[in-house]
Amino acid sequence: NSYLITYDVSDDKRRNNVFRTLRSNGDHVQFSVFVCPLSRMELARLRGDLAGAINSRQDQVIILDLGPTGGEWASHLQCLGKTYRPSGRVKVI
């Protein structure tokens, strides 16, 4: 599935760590917003990585399941200004 992931992290070091973690798993859409195509196993690993990177009392990460990658959600996406174009990411295992 594809997941919309956004974060609000107060500390620069933690925020940079969250950014790097998400950048290696998806497309950087806006300042603190990513779209990540992930399997269930990849999502579980990412959730663990993010939980370890944040302070749960001060920071927040929101993960929204958009459904199947390449699915209908893309046709419902509306952008004002610059158009969102998913990158042609190739996952190397």
Side-chain angles (χ1 to χ4, degrees):
N1 281 5
S2 289
Y3 298 87
L4 182 85
I5 303 176
T6 184
Y7 58 91
D8 183 10
V9 177
S10 58
D11 177 76
D12 289 341
K13 185 176 179 180
R14 291 193 311 265
R15 185 173 45 253
N16 290 336
N17 191 17
V18 167
F19 176 85
R20 283 190 303 273
T21 299
L22 289 170
R23 184 178 59 191
S24 67
N25 285 278
D27 295 326
H28 185 214
V29 178
Q30 287 188 352
F31 187 65
S32 61
V33 180
F34 285 79
V35 172
C36 302
L38 304 166
S39 68
R40 278 194 262 159
M41 187 102 108
E42 291 167 330
L43 177 61
R45 180 189 48 78
L46 180 59
R47 287 175 60 106
D49 292 347
L50 292 171
I54 67 169
N55 178 321
S56 62
R57 293 185 181 166
Q58 298 176 0
D59 306 326
Q60 182 183 58
V61 175
I62 296 172
I63 301 172
L64 176 64
D65 187 341
L66 298 174
T69 300
E72 256 186 67
W73 70 268
S75 67
H76 297 291
L77 181 70
Q78 296 180 19
C79 295
L80 300 177
K82 187 177 171 184
T83 302
Y84 169 66
R85 292 187 193 353
S87 68
R89 295 175 58 90
V90 176
K91 194 152 207 156
V92 178
I93 298 177

